[in-house]
Amino acid sequence: MNLRLRRKDFLPHQWEFLTSENPIKALVSGFGGGKTHVFLRETLLNHLFMRNRRGKSNGWIVYPTYALAEELFCEPFQELLRKYRIRFDYKATRLRFESKYGVIRVYQLQTPARMVGSELTYIGFDEFDIGSYKNCEIAYQKAIGRLRGCENARLYIVTTPEGFHYTYKLFKEEGAAKHLIQAKTTDNPHLPASYIHYLRSQYDENLLRRYMNGEFVNLNTAQAYYNFERERHVKEVECTYAPEYYVGMDFNIDPMTAVVGVFRDDRYEVLNEFWLKNSNTERMCKVISQDFDPNRIVVYPDMTGIKRSTSAAVGLTDIKILKSNGFRVKATRNPLVRDRINAVNNALAKGKLLIHPRCRHLIRDLEQVSRDKHGELDKSSPDLTHISDAMGYAVWNLFPIVSQPDWRTSA
């Protein structure tokens, strides 16, 4: 096998990460900084050389979700193994790689309790900070307790920064005996200028500090929708007729919430809100249909409703109920919570969102919803977050913003 990694083939921060001998290391950078590229090669090196007493490596690879793992790791890693003519067996149903050098198991941060194994020789986390603080903590502690497969076992992390999240705790608050490398999007000279322009056009200054400069930005106990201003965003928007009305909906039962708006002049204008106590999807449909033609309703709901129901009707999910009432459902999946919040803040910053003053619950949410000490939404109040969640589903679908834009398709 001819495995040669040359310094000239990597950016300085990538090479520093690859060659670091520290048992716990992290690369934190903005989008397009080459994190996943170097993560794949770090994993290959560990698979080949980080062996236990039996001469085999035993590694975990952890992603926020299995979908991300399949997209960012499983397919590209198979290509990398083929490139170096390493024979392997990949079981897609179990997300498990095996070669004569050892075994790799792929897990997701959403269910850290399912991470089982012992005597690991290495563990890698990609996009670590996307996970909830609690799940990151559980997964990290599990990992540390199992890194006993060889003398120089390693744990490595690559991520974009998400406030003072778990990576910040490990490498800034604790720090000792760990190696943190930080990089900016602009440190990658191979990115086209149009990609940098794209980021600047898509993100507000707060997001640019995180997603382009790779900075840890304080989100703790901050106003979640920090770009909202009553004077700028609350207007008496009216619409006597529209070919389509766009509805964001959250399926929480108490309260069940929805917002209805129109899309015009590249803006989402929220005309009305619906806030129903102890309700269900069927009743919500009836109430909305009293004010708006159901045949012109397009819904962007919480897509967990594709499997569950707030109705007592057997066999009818929330999504099926929406469709049975004549509503069109356009959403296909739920965005990450951070992407949904970022989309709302970005729309507010760029003047793409207006709200009628009658939407008092929504306005209260935008002013009062905050983040907890880990930078996540504070859900302690039973009345807050639901209607801003509902609007967020519509805003994210109308003005999508993603955690990791692809520079190859954004120019």
Side-chain angles (χ1 to χ4, degrees):
M1 178 187 59
N2 180 23
L3 178 62
R4 247 181 102 208
L5 299 181
R6 302 175 300 180
R7 182 171 190 159
K8 67 178 184 178
D9 294 331
F10 296 90
L11 301 173
H13 59 269
Q14 291 177 319
W15 189 251
E16 182 181 354
F17 180 78
L18 271 180
T19 56
S20 172
E21 296 293 326
N22 196 295
I24 302 178
K25 60 185 178 181
L27 172 59
V28 175
S29 84
F31 294 153
K35 299 184 298 297
T36 297
H37 178 83
V38 76
F39 182 84
L40 290 165
R41 280 134 188 94
E42 174 74 23
T43 301
L44 178 62
L45 290 173
N46 288 329
H47 178 65
L48 298 179
F49 303 117
M50 298 296 290
R51 304 184 191 181
N52 56 28
R53 294 185 300 275
R54 297 180 296 278
K56 301 284 187 179
S57 62
N58 184 22
W60 282 357
I61 296 301
V62 186
Y63 274 80
T65 65
Y66 284 132
L68 274 178
E70 291 171 351
E71 177 185 352
L72 299 179
F73 182 81
C74 295
E75 286 296 328
F77 195 68
Q78 290 178 69
E79 294 175 10
L80 195 59
L81 291 170
R82 294 187 188 105
K83 175 182 176 180
Y84 290 105
R85 299 182 180 179
I86 299 170
R87 301 177 75 175
F88 67 94
D89 179 49
Y90 172 59
K91 291 182 171 58
T93 55
R94 300 174 61 190
L95 273 69
R96 184 180 188 272
F97 290 84
E98 184 170 2
S99 77
K100 68 179 183 179
Y101 301 100
V103 174
I104 300 173
R105 294 174 179 85
V106 180
Y107 290 99
Q108 66 172 356
L109 269 175
Q110 285 186 345
T111 52
R114 297 181 183 176
M115 296 166 58
V116 294
S118 62
E119 297 189 350
L120 303 175
T121 60
Y122 64 93
I123 299 168
F125 294 89
D126 193 358
E127 287 301 348
F128 189 48
D129 276 1
I130 288 181
S132 73
Y133 190 94
K134 180 180 179 181
N135 286 345
C136 288
E137 184 173 44
I138 294 171
Y140 178 79
Q141 294 300 332
K142 277 199 164 198
I144 288 295
R146 288 160 174 78
L147 276 175
R148 53 182 183 268
C150 60
E151 286 297 326
N152 54 344
R154 291 184 180 176
L155 184 149
Y156 51 101
I157 294 169
V158 302
T159 190
T160 44
E162 285 298 323
F164 292 174
H165 209 275
Y166 205 72
T167 301
Y168 179 88
K169 174 184 183 294
L170 292 176
F171 291 88
K172 287 290 191 178
E173 291 184 349
E174 297 178 0
K178 302 183 183 77
H179 187 183
L180 172 65
I181 303 156
Q182 288 183 265
K184 300 178 180 179
T185 300
T186 50
D187 290 337
N188 185 354
H190 305 297
L191 294 174
S194 58
Y195 180 70
I196 306 300
H197 175 74
Y198 168 81
L199 290 182
R200 293 190 186 280
S201 68
Q202 289 294 308
Y203 298 107
D204 61 50
E205 288 303 314
N206 185 295
L207 298 179
L208 284 174
R209 288 180 62 194
R210 283 184 268 166
Y211 298 150
M212 193 164 81
N213 293 344
E215 298 177 20
F216 293 108
V217 177
N218 187 0
L219 302 178
N220 295 355
T221 66
Q223 181 181 0
Y225 301 101
Y226 51 82
N227 282 329
F228 176 72
E229 302 172 16
R230 273 188 185 245
E231 296 76 15
R232 182 183 178 193
H233 299 111
V234 178
K235 306 288 182 184
E236 291 197 7
V237 290
E238 298 291 352
C239 185
T240 56
Y241 173 84
E244 291 182 321
Y245 295 99
Y246 297 96
V247 176
M249 189 177 297
D250 181 61
F251 290 123
N252 188 65
I253 294 174
D254 188 17
M256 187 170 191
T257 58
V259 300
V260 180
V262 293
F263 185 73
R264 57 186 173 188
D265 299 326
D266 198 30
R267 278 197 313 257
Y268 182 48
E269 300 180 358
V270 181
L271 305 174
N272 210 344
E273 67 177 13
F274 294 88
W275 172 282
L276 306 181
K277 301 288 283 183
N278 297 310
S279 191
N280 57 49
T281 308
E282 186 68 41
R283 181 174 171 231
M284 176 63 79
C285 290
K286 299 303 183 189
V287 171
I288 293 175
S289 297
Q290 291 173 5
D291 294 336
F292 299 93
D293 182 352
N295 295 313
R296 299 207 300 273
I297 291 287
V298 175
V299 188
Y300 299 110
D302 172 3
M303 287 305 292
T304 58
I306 201 167
K307 293 183 179 179
R308 71 182 188 189
S309 176
T310 57
S311 169
V314 177
L316 283 181
T317 66
D318 290 313
I319 301 301
K320 287 181 179 178
I321 292 171
L322 292 177
K323 292 178 178 179
S324 69
N325 279 272
F327 296 176
R328 281 171 290 157
V329 178
K330 281 196 174 181
T332 57
R333 65 180 178 88
N334 273 354
L336 295 169
V337 173
R338 74 171 190 179
D339 287 346
R340 175 161 49 80
I341 296 171
N342 288 345
V344 173
N345 275 317
N346 214 49
L348 291 167
K350 298 183 182 304
K352 295 186 175 184
L353 183 58
L354 293 178
I355 299 158
H356 196 285
R358 69 168 65 96
C359 303
R360 58 186 183 87
H361 292 99
L362 177 58
I363 293 168
R364 182 184 65 178
D365 253 36
L366 293 173
E367 290 183 329
Q368 296 184 22
V369 170
S370 62
R371 297 179 185 268
D372 63 22
K373 65 180 181 179
H374 301 311
E376 298 169 12
L377 281 185
D378 182 353
K379 295 275 188 178
S380 59
S381 171
D383 288 337
L384 292 177
T385 74
H386 306 296
I387 198 158
S388 53
D389 287 350
M391 185 187 72
Y393 294 124
V395 171
W396 184 82
N397 279 278
L398 294 169
F399 308 106
I401 188 169
V402 296
S403 296
Q404 191 71 294
D406 188 341
W407 64 266
R408 294 165 295 185
T409 60
S410 60

